[in-house]
Amino acid sequence: MEEITLAAAKENTARLPPEDEKLSIGANLAYGLQHVLTMYGGIVAVPLIIGQASGLTPADVGLLVTASLFAGGLATILQTIGIPFFGSRLPLVQGVSFSGVATMIAITGHGGIQAVLGAVIAASFIGLLITPVFSRITRFFPPIVTGIVITTIGLTLMPVAAGWAMGGNRNAPDFGSQANVLLAAATLMIVLLLSKLGSAAISRLSILLAIIVGTGIAYVAGIADFSRVMNGPFVALPQIFHFGYPVFDIAAIISMCIVIMVTLVETSADILAVGEIVGTKVDARRLGDGLRADMLSSILAPVVGSFTQSAFAQNVGLVAVTGIKSRFVVATGGLFLVALGLLPIVGRIVAAVPSSVLGGAGLVLFGTVAASGIRTLAKVDYENNMNLIIVATSIGFGMIPIASPGFYEHFPAWIITIFHSGISSAALMAIMLNLLFNHLTTGNSDQQSVFVAGTERLIRYQDIAGLHDGDYFLNGKLYDANGTEVPLVPAEAH
């Protein structure tokens, strides 16, 4: 009887989905911590950027960091463990999404951080409402649109990296000094060296390790100031609406809705990708549950001072590299994030990292975002269509507020809020042009523009209408079937 029971237990274990595998406590802790280390640099970068753009004090920036860690941990647990209708129950790590950084910076310039929090809550609620029908409109967000948006996100953040490398504070007397720029360059070199010479694990952690080493160099050189790290509690619960109650500005909400659409597309891609890696079928219901968890987390995150939540693609790659497919491992990583979010001292340490160090690492970090978008655009078909002009116009339009920040200064405030962000500008243009050229094909000319002609050799129908059966070219001359030369009329004679 005992043998039969053991055999049945083994059979049930064999049928257990890969994501439901339960490892030992030690394995869960080790692999969960690895997930946290892989995404830690990305999750703290966003609150650092937003905090500095909002003019917050170092102490408040530290609270933003710990709030983002706390919210990311809870979002990860919701996504992996799940409750009815919320959570894909797949090994996905959640955290503050990079896709909204540029838009949120633009919003802070006109409404402060309260307007950012309000826009995130409202836009995420709208995203939650549309998740049931989102699968029907994903065709309007093909790789050409998402590639443009992701590329623009990276390009838009480059001025942030440059400002960091120069010292961060434009009013400081040492802004742009050789010491700041050289410190940023040293951090960049450390990232590259660790990526090339380190092991696979070190290479994945190269940005985080470079920030640590760069901060050490800055401390020795007398640039880093950790005197305020001990000012404040070591352990504390996140404060509800510490930065004030959210402000709901219509223009800011519209801008953030575009970000939410992009976030839904990116999360959908991550859920499908991790399902493929794990070997589990992702149906419409599971995808919807994952997207709803994303949006619910994004609605609640601003309550503690965080922003939109999304799946981290680098952790999807980590699942593929390590072969550890258990969602409980990732849930353990979520517990680590929650614990870090309860330690304000961690946020103060991160906030004390010199801006120049962040600038050197940010050059690679933000460049990676742009490169990911370029990789997506490389998969787009450019033959016999208008996709090239869609990409060119959308990215160019998105670069206007970056190249000339005052471009829209004489327009109404709501236009400035929407188009002052390169990401919003590029996304709107990409969506509209994709609809115009690839969906509303009625009226498209059969004589396409130079952008199409440049993709491959094309011959118009009217150019061959005068040819007869048997006509042929020889040595640059046209002959009919009898070998008689047919005179060619120059183009200007038409």
Side-chain angles (χ1 to χ4, degrees):
M1 185 70 177
E2 185 178 353
E3 292 180 359
I4 295 175
T5 304
L6 289 173
K10 290 181 179 178
E11 183 178 354
N12 289 335
T13 301
R15 293 179 179 177
L16 200 66
E19 68 271 19
D20 291 338
E21 180 184 5
K22 295 183 179 180
L23 306 180
S24 66
I25 295 178
N28 275 327
L29 292 174
Y31 291 122
L33 181 59
Q34 182 176 244
H35 272 286
V36 172
L37 293 175
T38 300
M39 53 85 74
Y40 189 84
I43 198 172
V44 302
V46 176
L48 283 174
I49 297 171
I50 303 301
Q52 291 191 8
S54 303
L56 299 181
T57 65
D60 278 343
V61 172
L63 289 177
L64 271 185
V65 171
T66 51
S68 294
L69 292 169
F70 183 79
L74 292 181
T76 300
I77 294 171
L78 176 62
Q79 189 70 268
T80 53
I81 302 301
I83 59 176
F85 305 108
F86 295 91
S88 64
R89 294 174 174 83
L90 288 170
L92 284 168
V93 177
Q94 301 284 119
V96 182
S97 173
F98 250 108
S99 59
V101 171
T103 298
M104 288 188 285
I105 290 176
I107 294 173
T108 59
H110 301 280
I113 191 134
Q114 293 90 353
V116 173
L117 299 177
V120 170
I121 292 174
S124 300
F125 182 73
I126 294 171
L128 179 63
L129 294 178
I130 67 172
T131 49
V133 298
F134 187 75
S135 58
R136 300 180 184 177
I137 63 173
T138 51
R139 63 193 182 97
F140 297 121
F141 296 88
I144 188 171
V145 173
T146 56
I148 288 169
V149 171
I150 296 170
T151 301
T152 308
I153 290 171
L155 295 177
T156 299
L157 292 174
M158 282 304 169
V160 176
W164 279 357
M166 298 174 73
N169 184 3
R170 295 183 178 275
N171 297 321
D174 65 341
F175 182 75
S177 66
Q178 290 187 13
N180 284 331
V181 174
L182 289 175
L183 180 57
T187 306
L188 173 61
M189 291 301 298
I190 294 169
V191 172
L192 299 177
L193 287 174
L194 291 176
S195 300
K196 178 177 176 58
L197 303 178
S199 63
I202 292 177
S203 180
R204 285 193 294 269
L205 299 175
S206 59
I207 290 180
L208 179 60
L209 294 175
I211 290 176
I212 294 173
V213 175
T215 302
I217 295 173
Y219 183 77
V220 172
I223 299 176
D225 179 15
F226 290 92
S227 60
R228 299 179 182 178
V229 168
M230 305 306 293
N231 297 339
F234 280 70
V235 181
L237 290 173
Q239 301 179 33
I240 305 301
F241 293 126
H242 170 77
F243 302 101
Y245 288 102
V247 174
F248 299 96
D249 179 77
I250 297 298
I253 292 171
I254 293 173
S255 292
M256 192 56 62
C257 280
I258 297 172
V259 173
I260 289 298
M261 290 293 182
V262 175
T263 301
L264 288 171
V265 173
E266 291 178 343
T267 300
S268 297
D270 288 332
I271 292 174
L272 294 171
V274 81
E276 184 74 21
I277 292 169
V278 170
T280 294
K281 181 180 179 181
V282 177
D283 54 18
R285 179 175 179 179
R286 194 167 208 170
L287 179 60
D289 288 348
L291 294 177
R292 278 188 287 273
D294 223 32
M295 293 298 99
L296 180 61
S297 301
S298 298
I299 292 172
L300 298 177
V303 175
V304 295
S306 189
F307 313 105
T308 52
Q309 303 292 305
S310 180
F312 270 58
Q314 56 263 50
N315 291 86
V316 174
L318 185 60
V319 172
V321 170
T322 62
I324 306 298
K325 304 174 181 179
S326 172
R327 60 191 174 102
F328 300 108
V329 164
V330 176
T332 304
L335 291 174
F336 274 117
L337 289 173
V338 170
L340 290 172
L342 298 175
L343 300 173
I345 188 173
V346 174
R348 293 195 295 271
I349 291 173
V350 173
V353 173
S355 295
S356 298
V357 172
L358 295 174
L363 188 67
V364 179
L365 188 61
F366 303 155
T368 300
V369 177
S372 298
I374 294 171
R375 182 173 59 187
T376 300
L377 290 175
K379 301 175 183 177
V380 175
D381 179 18
Y382 296 98
E383 295 185 358
N384 299 328
N385 55 46
M386 298 294 289
N387 284 340
L388 189 63
I389 195 172
I390 294 174
V391 174
T393 306
S394 300
I395 292 181
F397 192 65
M399 288 298 99
I400 287 177
I402 308 306
S404 181
F407 190 84
Y408 298 105
E409 64 181 10
H410 297 297
F411 284 79
W414 65 271
I415 291 181
I416 296 174
T417 303
I418 295 174
F419 292 106
H420 186 69
S421 165
I423 174 68
S424 298
S425 301
L428 283 172
M429 183 63 73
I431 292 169
M432 289 190 298
L433 292 184
N434 180 60
L435 286 172
L436 178 64
F437 290 118
N438 292 333
H439 291 273
L440 305 176
T441 56
T442 302
N444 283 4
S445 173
D446 62 347
Q447 299 182 30
Q448 301 291 358
S449 75
V450 66
F451 292 94
V452 173
T455 61
E456 64 173 347
R457 182 172 177 242
L458 297 173
I459 299 177
R460 295 187 178 90
Y461 282 109
Q462 57 265 39
D463 293 335
I464 61 173
L467 296 178
H468 297 167
D469 289 342
D471 288 351
Y472 62 94
F473 274 94
L474 180 64
N475 298 326
K477 296 181 179 181
L478 177 65
Y479 298 91
D480 62 17
N482 298 321
T484 303
E485 183 179 350
V486 178
L488 299 176
V489 180
E492 58 270 16
H494 284 286

